[in-house]
């Protein structure tokens, strides 16, 4: 029986992304979204009151001898057992799943799924989609947890650091990461297919792998502050803070992380992520529709017959990602120079 | 033959799985077990319980006519087997042909071991499984033909389960429960609390509930609030009327006006369940600690009546934090509490976080915070986002002496759209884009 609440719930079943603010635990965010969606679902008008038939006795002439006439009258009385105040609201819990988690310190795109879409969420979670981060660092300090909120351990000078030196260190790190990617992707480097995959930037690790950065770039450098853009796989936010610390060490100084912000998670970008005032059911329904229509448009563009290296869905994901990031040619230049030059 | 075995085994397996799922469901969320309790003698029979059942019966049965004992014996057996299978019962005796005026269902003593059932609903299901012996044939077949008069005289009471996890099994038959639903009481929330469901079921509407509702109405509580009150504090229906009247008299004696007492009771449902001594203790504490006059203490308590309900320890800690950590003086603290009484019951961690951000990051001095105490009541994320946005636009100026001063009140209490247009002179879209760069 589809009541208005069930119809609203079916509209809400899908994947969407929200912007997680820094300083809140991801579970709190998920619970808030679930509460708001439940409010929206239960706000739909409840189904009408049900009636039941009760047979009442009619007072007739009753004799002790036992010759009573049996007359019963039917009356329709409201059945309170299904009243919303007695049985509660129709939906008291919905399954809201979270994709790649973000820790308390970081902020950014967090993918959520409702109901049946949680299955698609697990597929997305397990597939090798990359994520984009913007890391803000500060030179001259070292703390115990690699971020500026930790206990200070060391202070160093950073006057000797120039943009050139920083970029050289980043290029070196990127090179080692590319080598790791090639190793974990378990492709035979002497084949034509492997070369083409690498050229297109579609090499991905086969199975489990440690965190690998597929792209690393310096966005902004103003000593002591600098900003990096990272594209990575299988990472944790703690690992990214450690990367910044290692960058500082390579430069014969120290660095801490002041902010980690995820700008893209697979095909979900920051542009369509919902901020906390929009965590309500109408906005979520719209976001789901938007994602579905963009996915359909993407599928229409990318249905081309190609070489069957890798599963179709993985290639699909990567094609979507490439369309979204527009970074395929940059990755191409990096790959052709580093991986196949050394 | 083998397939018969397999189907039997499968059915048994599904039954076990169903029961396991039921037990896990029972254990997963907090459920209250609701029990009915019957007793043997007419004197012990709670009249309240009896009157609360609307059982359709034939008036012929009302007079205890000398009915054939055969049918009665048959029915006794049926009832006894039902009792044995559905509840752990020690039927002490079944009375035959007793002369009482009550509509005659058989008096079977039903001492449900309450401790058993209240402990674990899951155990009950297992007991049912073992007690129900399907091979036991009843004494008399259900297909036996009986005369029309016998059928008419046979009184079958409503098949109410003796134990249930939900009040919806009883609401159709119980006058109290149906009237409470009409008042707007949320029974689905109350049945989750332990023992409340059974308590509501045992109340009589005429003798227990009505006098208290009338009392609340006379106090000045609005009809629309009665449902809210009982949903949050069902124990107001079991509090004795003398106590309730004494507490209201005490509040009036402390010069609270009638309207303020009514507003306090409707906003703090548990207020009248606390003793006069406790309320007196709290009022004295607030007057002494805050150093306010009697009228101002009354105003504070009327604004936030739950100050009289809860424990005093969190309030003491909050006051200590305000004095020692934040460094507010006595008169400043008095002003803050009279404007925002919620500071006394706020979360310590959140309060210190907000104060730390406002005082150390935004560099707002104490006297400005005292002028606008609403900032201490706002959400930390809101203050942070708006301040950083203003800082990005170079408009973060909170000193009244300098030009382009931004009032803290406007920073915190305006909705997003009004804040963007009036205070920041930017669009809402810009603000959202900025939020995504945080």
């Amino acid at each position: 029986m589809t009541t208005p609440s069930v119809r609203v719930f079916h509209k809400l079943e899908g994947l969407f992304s929200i912007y997680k603010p820094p300083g809140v635990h991801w579970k709190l965010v998920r619970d808030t979204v679930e509460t708001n969606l439940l409010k929206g679902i239960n706000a739909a008008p409840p189904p009408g009151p049900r009636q039941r038939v009760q047979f009442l006795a009619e007072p007739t002439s009753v004799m002790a001898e036992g010759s009573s006439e049996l007359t019963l009258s039917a009356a329709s009385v409201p059945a309170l057992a299904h009243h919303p105040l007695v049985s509660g609201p129709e939906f008291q819990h919905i399954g809201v799943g979270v994709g790649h988690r973000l820790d308390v310190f970081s902020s950014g795109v967090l993918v959520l799924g409702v109901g049946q879409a949680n299955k698609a969420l697990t597929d997305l979670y397990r597939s090798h989609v990359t994520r984009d981060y913007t890391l803000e660092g500060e030179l001259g300090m070292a703390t115990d947890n690699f971020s500026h909120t930790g206990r200070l351990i060391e202070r160093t000078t950073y006057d000797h650091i120039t943009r050139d030196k920083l970029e050289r260190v980043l290029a070196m790190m990127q090179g080692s990461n590319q080598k790791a990617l090639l190793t974990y992707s378990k492709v035979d480097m002497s084949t034509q297919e492997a070369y083409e995959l690498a050229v297109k930037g579609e090499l991905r690790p086969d199975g489990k792998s440690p965190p690998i950065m597929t792209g690393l770039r310096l966005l902004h450098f103003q000593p002591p502050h600098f900003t990096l853009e990272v594209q990575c796989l299988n990472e944790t936010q703690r690992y990214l803070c450690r990367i910044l610390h290692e960058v500082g060490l390579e430069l014969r100084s120290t660095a801490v992380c002041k902010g980690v912000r995820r700008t893209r998670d697979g095909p979900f970008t920051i542009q369509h992520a919902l901020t906390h005032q929009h965590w309500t059911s109408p906005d979520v329904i719209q976001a789901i529709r938007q994602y579905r229509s963009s996915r359909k448009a993407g599928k229409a563009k990318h249905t081309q017959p190609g070489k069957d290296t890798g599963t179709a869905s993985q290639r699909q994901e990567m094609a979507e990602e490439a369309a979204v990031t527009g970074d395929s040619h940059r990755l191409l230049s990096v790959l052709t120079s580093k991986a196949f030059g050394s | 033959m083998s397939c018969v075995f397999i189907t039997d085994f499968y059915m048994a397996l599904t039954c076990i799985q169903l029961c396991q799922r039921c037990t896990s469901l029972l254990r997963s969320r907090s459920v209250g077990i609701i029990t009915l309790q019957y007793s043997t003698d007419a004197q012990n029979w709670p009249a309240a319980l009896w009157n609360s059942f609307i059982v359709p019966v034939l008036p012929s049965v009302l007079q205890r006519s000398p009915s054939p004992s055969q049918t009665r014996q048959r029915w006794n057996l049926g009832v006894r087997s039902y009792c044995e299978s559905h509840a752990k019962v020690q039927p002490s005796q079944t009375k035959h042909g007793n002369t009482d005026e009550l509509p005659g269902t058989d008096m079977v003593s039903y001492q449900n071991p309450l401790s058993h059932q209240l402990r674990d609903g899951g155990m009950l299901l297992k007991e049912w499984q073992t007690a129900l012996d399907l091979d036991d044939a009843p004494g008399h077949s259900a297909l036996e033909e009986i005369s029309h008069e016998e059928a008419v005289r046979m009184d079958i009471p409503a098949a109410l389960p003796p134990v249930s996890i939900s009040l919806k099994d009883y609401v159709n038959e119980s006058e109290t429960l149906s009237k409470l639903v009409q008042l707007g009481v949320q029974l689905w929330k109350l049945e989750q609390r332990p023992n409340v469901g059974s308590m509501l079921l045992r109340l009589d509407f005429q003798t227990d509930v009505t006098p208290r509702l009338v009392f609340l109405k006379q106090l000045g509580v609005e009809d629309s609030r009665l449902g809210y009150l009982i949903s949050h504090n069902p124990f107001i229906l079991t509090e004795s009327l003398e106590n309730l009247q004494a507490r209201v008299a005490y509040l009036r004696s402390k010069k609270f006006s009638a309207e303020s007492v009514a507003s306090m009771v409707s906003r703090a449902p548990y207020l009248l369940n606390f003793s006069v001594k406790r309320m007196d203790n709290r009022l004295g504490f607030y007057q002494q600690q805050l150093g306010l006059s009697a009228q101002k203490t009354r105003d504070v308590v009327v604004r936030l009546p739950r100050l009289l309900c809860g424990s005093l320890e969190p309030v003491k800690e909050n006051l200590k934090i305000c004095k020692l950590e934040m460094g507010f003086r006595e008169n400043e603290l008095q002003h803050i509490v009279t404007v925002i009484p919620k500071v006394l019951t706020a979360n310590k961690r959140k309060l210190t976080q907000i104060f730390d951000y406002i005082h150390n990051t935004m560099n707002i001095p104490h006297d400005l915070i005292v002028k606008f105490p609403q900032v201490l009541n706002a959400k930390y994320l809101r203050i942070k986002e708006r301040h950083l946005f203003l800082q990005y636009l170079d408009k973060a100026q909170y000193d009244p002496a300098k030009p382009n001063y931004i009032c803290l009140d406007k920073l915190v209490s305006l909705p997003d759209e009004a804040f963007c247009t009036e205070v920041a002179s930017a669009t809402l879209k810009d603000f959202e884009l900025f939020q995504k760069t945080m």
Side-chain angles (χ1 to χ4, degrees):
Chain A
M1 182 155 64
T2 46
T3 59
S5 305
V6 176
R7 283 195 208 106
V8 175
F9 178 66
H10 283 311
K11 276 192 222 161
L12 278 170
E13 279 186 320
L15 289 177
F16 58 99
S17 63
I18 59 167
Y19 188 88
K20 181 188 103 68
V24 273
H25 197 268
W26 63 267
K27 193 156 190 294
L28 198 69
V29 163
R30 192 211 73 89
D31 290 340
T32 313
V33 170
E34 189 185 332
T35 315
N36 289 352
L37 294 181
L38 275 174
K39 271 192 211 158
I41 291 172
N42 290 322
R50 290 198 222 173
Q51 309 269 333
R52 66 187 171 104
V53 176
Q54 195 170 340
F55 290 100
L56 299 170
E58 289 272 295
T60 55
S61 56
V62 176
M63 296 299 124
E65 299 96 60
S67 62
S68 58
E69 287 165 13
L70 178 68
T71 44
L72 297 171
S73 64
S76 182
V77 292
L80 286 174
H82 301 284
H83 194 278
L85 284 177
V86 181
S87 58
E90 262 188 81
F91 284 86
Q92 295 190 22
H93 167 76
I94 46 173
V96 176
V98 177
H100 298 105
R101 300 186 288 264
L102 278 170
D103 63 355
V104 178
F105 175 67
S106 8
S107 60
V109 173
L110 188 66
V111 178
L112 298 178
V114 177
Q116 293 294 321
N118 286 319
K119 295 175 194 165
L121 195 65
T122 7
D123 292 337
L124 181 73
Y125 190 83
R126 290 213 192 106
S127 70
H128 297 291
V129 283
T130 57
R131 291 172 280 287
D132 261 1
Y133 285 85
T134 308
L135 304 173
E136 276 160 58
E138 189 177 326
L139 293 164
M141 282 205 294
T143 55
D144 58 349
N145 66 354
F146 310 126
S147 73
H148 73 294
T149 54
R151 188 174 55 94
L152 190 64
I153 292 176
E154 204 180 319
R155 272 200 193 273
T156 55
T157 57
Y158 49 85
D159 304 325
H160 59 279
I161 298 174
T162 61
R163 195 182 179 113
D164 183 44
K165 283 185 191 165
L166 189 54
E167 289 200 340
R168 217 176 292 167
V169 167
L170 293 179
M172 186 200 72
M173 288 181 87
Q174 196 168 19
S176 57
N177 270 285
Q178 290 298 340
K179 284 214 181 92
L181 178 64
L182 290 177
T183 339
Y184 282 98
S185 65
K186 292 177 190 153
V187 288
D188 191 0
M189 272 297 116
S190 51
T191 57
Q192 177 65 16
E193 292 93 7
Y195 172 73
E196 284 188 9
L197 267 182
V199 154
K200 283 188 226 156
E202 286 176 4
L203 270 181
R204 288 289 179 268
D206 186 26
K208 287 197 177 174
S209 82
I212 295 178
M213 291 191 291
T214 55
L216 187 55
R217 185 159 73 120
L218 181 66
L219 282 180
H220 174 71
F221 179 66
Q222 185 106 38
H225 304 286
F226 64 100
T227 314
L228 295 182
E229 190 194 332
V230 181
Q231 276 185 350
C232 44
L233 290 167
N234 288 335
E235 84 297 350
T236 56
Q237 285 80 45
R238 192 80 189 263
Y239 174 77
L240 295 170
C241 296
R242 215 185 78 187
I243 291 290
L244 270 181
H245 173 79
E246 281 172 12
V247 162
L249 288 179
E250 290 289 330
L251 291 166
R252 315 294 166 90
S253 176
T254 47
V256 286
C257 181
K258 286 189 77 172
V260 175
R261 194 166 69 99
R262 187 192 276 164
T263 49
R264 181 184 64 84
D265 186 346
F268 294 94
T269 53
I270 203 168
Q271 193 191 1
H272 301 297
L274 301 171
T275 47
H276 64 93
Q277 49 261 53
H278 294 299
W279 292 348
T280 55
S281 26
D283 293 307
V284 167
I285 292 174
Q286 202 190 4
I288 290 172
R289 275 202 205 124
Q290 206 170 39
Y291 171 63
R292 278 200 196 130
S293 59
S294 70
R295 217 188 145 92
K296 275 192 195 136
K299 268 199 181 136
K301 251 203 303 180
H302 292 283
T303 44
Q304 303 147 12
K307 292 213 178 110
D308 212 17
T309 45
T311 63
S313 62
Q314 265 192 343
R315 278 178 51 236
Q316 176 85 63
E317 291 279 358
M318 290 189 289
E320 279 175 27
E321 262 189 69
V324 152
T325 58
D327 272 333
S328 44
H329 79 275
R330 182 174 68 78
L331 283 173
L332 161 72
S333 59
V334 160
L335 279 167
T336 43
S337 60
K338 285 286 162 193
F340 299 98
S342 51
Chain B
M1 178 121 114
S2 56
C3 46
V4 170
F5 272 128
I6 288 164
T7 48
D8 276 344
F9 175 68
Y10 185 71
M11 272 179 67
L13 208 64
T14 46
C15 282
I16 292 166
Q17 280 171 359
L18 191 68
C19 288
Q20 278 173 348
R21 234 185 295 149
C22 288
T23 53
S24 63
L25 186 71
L26 282 169
R27 283 198 202 101
S28 59
R29 62 183 176 104
S30 59
V31 284
I33 313 281
I34 299 149
T35 58
L36 297 175
Q37 203 166 3
Y38 299 102
S39 63
T40 316
D41 326 309
Q43 289 97 18
N44 291 348
W45 199 300
L49 174 68
W50 195 240
N51 294 335
S52 65
F53 278 80
I54 308 164
V55 179
V57 286
L58 293 170
S60 61
V61 173
L62 282 170
Q63 291 145 23
R64 191 52 69 104
S65 48
S67 48
S69 55
Q70 214 184 14
T71 52
R72 196 152 287 279
Q73 271 174 347
R74 216 181 290 155
W75 180 234
N76 288 347
L77 272 172
V79 168
R80 204 189 306 172
S81 65
Y82 166 82
C83 298
E84 274 172 354
S85 60
H86 288 279
K88 272 229 162 170
V89 124
Q90 294 97 31
S92 53
Q93 59 200 342
T94 54
K95 292 200 175 155
H96 298 271
N98 47 358
T99 52
D100 54 47
E101 326 73 38
L102 295 172
T105 54
D106 298 297
M107 323 276 209
V108 177
S109 94
Y110 236 90
Q111 262 102 38
N112 292 326
L114 280 172
S115 54
H116 257 292
Q117 283 141 13
L118 287 173
R119 229 188 302 132
D120 189 5
M123 204 157 79
L124 198 62
L125 283 170
K126 286 190 199 129
E127 281 168 358
W128 289 3
Q129 270 182 307
T130 49
L132 191 67
D133 193 3
L134 293 167
D135 289 330
D136 237 6
H140 296 267
S141 161
L143 300 172
E144 205 178 299
E145 283 196 35
I146 48 172
S147 71
H148 209 57
E149 291 78 25
E150 277 182 45
V152 152
R153 293 231 179 75
M154 198 178 289
D155 42 305
I156 298 152
L160 292 171
V163 173
S164 167
I165 55 164
S166 167
L167 281 175
K168 60 169 103 124
D169 298 326
Y170 306 106
V171 74
N172 285 325
E173 271 82 31
S174 164
E175 191 202 352
T176 323
L177 291 180
S178 40
K179 289 266 161 67
L180 285 177
V181 171
Q182 282 167 31
L183 269 178
V185 176
Q186 294 185 323
L187 291 181
W188 64 280
K189 272 194 190 162
L190 287 179
E191 72 191 10
Q192 287 169 16
R193 289 165 68 167
N195 300 329
V196 171
S198 314
M199 179 203 80
L200 286 177
L201 203 51
R202 289 189 199 119
L203 291 175
D204 173 54
F205 191 73
Q206 299 304 327
T207 51
D208 299 327
V209 182
T210 317
R212 284 162 184 87
L213 292 178
V214 164
F215 168 77
L216 288 171
K217 267 208 81 159
Q218 281 170 348
L219 205 56
V221 177
E222 280 153 48
D223 295 346
S224 48
R225 288 295 280 187
L226 287 172
Y228 169 87
L229 232 160
I230 302 178
S231 306
H232 286 258
N233 181 18
F235 303 108
I236 203 166
L237 300 173
T238 52
E239 193 71 32
S240 79
L241 270 173
E242 297 91 39
N243 280 344
L244 293 174
Q245 278 157 358
R247 285 152 197 174
V248 171
Y250 166 76
L251 285 173
R252 291 305 306 274
S253 75
K254 288 287 170 188
K255 303 201 188 98
F256 283 95
S257 71
E259 299 87 25
S260 46
V261 174
S263 122
M264 279 163 70
V265 170
S266 36
R267 280 180 305 139
Y270 276 97
L271 185 66
L272 291 181
N273 276 48
F274 290 113
S275 64
V276 167
K277 188 174 162 195
R278 194 181 148 119
M279 281 201 278
D280 190 42
N281 189 23
R282 269 155 185 67
L283 282 172
F285 170 80
Y286 291 121
Q287 188 160 12
Q288 193 198 33
Q289 282 289 315
L290 298 170
L292 296 169
S293 69
Q295 178 58 38
K296 285 206 167 159
T297 322
R298 277 198 285 272
D299 286 336
V300 166
V301 170
V302 170
R303 284 276 301 276
L304 195 66
R306 65 164 194 253
L307 284 174
L308 291 184
C309 294
S311 159
L312 286 178
E313 291 307 317
V315 177
K316 285 182 195 166
E317 286 174 16
N318 276 21
L319 284 172
K320 272 222 158 61
I321 285 172
C322 288
K323 277 188 204 149
L324 303 175
E325 258 190 66
M326 302 186 193
F328 283 116
R329 288 193 296 268
E330 189 69 40
N331 54 341
E332 290 175 339
L333 196 55
Q334 281 177 6
H335 179 78
I336 291 176
V337 170
T338 41
V339 177
I340 309 270
K342 206 172 160 195
V343 167
L344 292 174
T345 47
N347 185 343
K348 291 197 293 279
R349 192 179 48 84
K350 289 182 188 171
L351 196 61
T352 38
Q353 194 183 32
I354 292 173
F355 179 80
D356 176 52
Y357 191 77
I358 293 175
H359 189 60
N360 296 329
T361 315
M362 288 163 75
N363 293 323
I364 293 175
H366 279 92
D367 42 343
L368 210 57
I369 299 178
V370 173
K371 258 195 183 158
F372 302 106
Q374 303 91 326
V375 287
L376 292 173
N377 198 20
K379 287 231 177 288
Y380 171 71
L381 189 65
R382 190 176 228 206
I383 304 173
K384 187 170 157 185
E385 280 179 347
R386 289 182 174 189
H387 167 72
L388 287 173
F389 187 50
L390 291 174
Q391 207 175 45
Y392 177 71
L393 296 171
D394 280 330
K395 286 189 182 165
Q397 209 280 95
Y398 307 108
D399 189 359
K402 298 185 189 146
N404 290 334
Y405 151 71
I406 305 252
C407 177
L408 280 176
D409 183 24
K410 284 199 174 156
L411 176 77
V412 155
S413 43
L414 285 179
D416 279 336
E417 187 121 17
F419 166 76
C420 288
T421 43
E422 281 178 33
V423 181
S425 23
T427 60
L428 195 59
K429 254 196 145 349
D430 296 336
F431 185 52
E432 280 175 27
L433 281 172
F434 179 78
Q435 276 181 319
K436 292 188 193 176
T437 63
M438 280 234 307

